[in-house]
Amino acid sequence: MESESSSAANGRTTWTPPMDHLFIELMVEQVVNRQLLDGQFSKTAWANIVTKFKESFGPSFNKKVSRNCMKTLKKIFNGVSSLRGTSGFGWNDTKEIVTAPDDVWKKHIE
């Protein structure tokens, strides 16, 4: 097992970059296998994702934890996409971060 899940006292799962990468790979695999129906993963897709994720990161992962991760990743993706589409913002391929001059950030934050 590569890593055991870690949960804070409040029961929240702490996700690591390797977990994110595997989760994204598993979702892509389900899309390739035509298990994304009308923008939603099928029950079979979720079962496959959870089973394979547990093999690498332990038994504490379930569909609910996986769906919450997907929601979080969507929020991050939408935020980054929004910034990248805004005038003055760019992308650093090496660091994989949104970039902008200080004055652009200041204006955006205001």
Side-chain angles (χ1 to χ4, degrees):
M1 192 174 308
E2 185 178 314
S3 171
E4 194 65 37
S5 66
S6 68
S7 298
N10 63 5
R12 290 181 176 246
T13 301
T14 302
W15 286 79
T16 63
M19 293 168 138
D20 286 337
H21 290 285
L22 176 61
F23 186 69
I24 291 167
E25 285 177 22
L26 294 173
M27 288 190 298
V28 168
E29 181 180 288
Q30 295 308 306
V31 171
V32 170
N33 291 336
R34 298 178 185 248
Q35 292 298 314
L36 186 68
L37 312 169
D38 296 324
Q40 302 291 321
F41 284 115
S42 68
K43 289 181 182 182
T44 301
W46 281 115
N48 291 337
I49 290 168
V50 170
T51 298
K52 290 180 181 179
F53 200 85
K54 284 181 178 184
E55 289 172 3
S56 294
F57 293 105
S60 65
F61 294 92
N62 57 36
K63 183 179 175 181
K64 182 179 178 184
V65 170
S66 298
R67 288 178 70 102
N68 286 338
C69 177
M70 185 176 73
K71 288 178 187 176
T72 300
L73 290 173
K74 278 185 176 181
K75 286 179 187 176
I76 293 168
F77 176 82
N78 289 335
V80 169
S81 292
S82 176
L83 284 176
R84 288 183 70 182
T86 303
S87 180
F89 287 90
W91 181 255
N92 182 315
D93 283 326
T94 304
K95 294 181 180 180
E96 297 182 339
I97 58 171
V98 175
T99 61
D102 289 342
D103 62 318
V104 173
W105 279 113
K106 184 177 178 180
K107 185 177 178 181
H108 179 75
I109 292 169
E110 289 174 353

